Structure formats: structure tokens, C-alpha cells
Amino acid sequence: KAGVTQTPRYLIKTRGQQVTLSCSPISGHRSVSWYQQTPGQGLQFLFEYFSETQRNKGNFPGRFSGRQFSNSRSEMNVSTLELGDSALYLCASSLSRNVGEQYFGPGTRLTVT
Amino acid sequence: DAKTTQPNSMESNEEEPVHLPCNHSTISGTDYIHWYRQLPSQGPEYVIHGLTSNVNNRMASLAIAEDRKSSTLILHRATLRDAAVYYCILRGGMDSSYKLIFGSGTRLLVRP
């Protein structure tokens, strides 16, 4: 069974631009969560989607948004990029919300210049 | 959100057992104890989780204190591939919306 895939793997953007990252969960998994990882703040929870609905959101500004499609694939969008948004963005999927393990993708490395 | 405390780093010799401690004194009755690890340049990888009883799987064992205020991840025979950052996480039930809150983790160095 294929793992969690994220596209693109690397991205360079300029301040003020917007970006969309994509995540395809493991087949059959319905819950998708997004995390941001930076050297200074570590791994931080962004949001969680289940059945096309955002179920929980972390402490990030409204510039960070996401959505989930009927096939459980998810996208996250960051508008008006800032230098501090440079990070590794990780997507994780699980069968359902209350299942023990989450399976992480390799991440998208975003660099904002 | 309940927090966990882990040592910043630990070292081990290859093929020896490793005991990674975690303190979680504010754990609630519905919090599960999860362990993930992150190898260099990869996303985190699930290791094991438990609620009250000790747990074993092919990767590791999880020993949970009787009062649940601490736990220990046990790698029975460390290999070089086990060198990673290990995260101990409390994952709550519906009241915490099942999210994972990562701390700073323990960086495990395995010496050949």
C-alpha cells in the first residue's frame, strides 16, 4: 500500500506570494492533519480534516487555510507569505480520528525569500 | 494541553537496550501516551502507544507507570538505524480533538 504522498517536495516562493501544498493520504484513510516544522518552534499542529470538514485548528494566523476533498486528499494554502513561513510542512493521515497511529508523509520544504 | 518532559539527548551503544524516559505529570484519564520518532530528513514515524497497560510491538515496548505520570520507551537492541529524535506525546480524546502536540523530544545517538 502506498504511503502518504506530498507534492511538491520543494518550493521556493517570494514574500507576499501565496502557495498551495497537496497531500494524498494512504488509501482508505479519512483523517488528514497538517503540521509545520521549523528549527526554532519544532513540530506544530496546523489543522485536522475529517469528512471534508476542519475538525481542529492550531494557533496559526488566518493566512493558513486548508481543505479536504471527497476522496480524502487535502490541500493547505498559505497566503501573503512571510519569511517566517519557511518550514517543512508535514501531512499525516489516519484511518479515522480516534485511531492510534498517524502516518506522516515526507513533507514539503517551503523556502520564502 | 497536557505536556511531556523528556531529556534533550541520550546515547547508547549498538545492540544494547535503550530506555527513553518521559514525564507527564498532568496526564488526564483519557490521554493516550504516544511515541513517534523522526529520522534525519524524514517525517515522523509512529512507534507505539498505550493507555494504562504496558505495550509491546515489533519496534519497541512501552512501560507505563502505575500512576501514569511517567512512561518509558524501550528499544530492546539499538541499531544505527534507531538514531533519531524520539517524541513522547499525549493524545487526548474527544475533548482534545485527537491532535498530536509535539514537544522537543529526545535525540538518541547510537554508537557503533
Side-chain angles (χ1 to χ4, degrees), chain A residues 60-78:
Chain A
F60 281 83
R63 300 184 297 107
F64 291 81
S65 63
R67 59 179 176 169
Q68 186 181 34
F69 302 94
S70 59
N71 61 358
S72 295
R73 190 177 69 86
S74 178
E75 289 181 347
M76 67 163 283
N77 183 276
V78 188

Side-chain angles (χ1 to χ4, degrees), chain B residues 86-101:
Chain B
Y86 287 78
Y87 296 97
C88 170
I89 302 160
L90 298 184
R91 190 182 191 198
M94 286 186 66
D95 58 336
S96 299
S97 301
Y98 308 116
K99 60 186 177 184
L100 295 175
I101 304 298

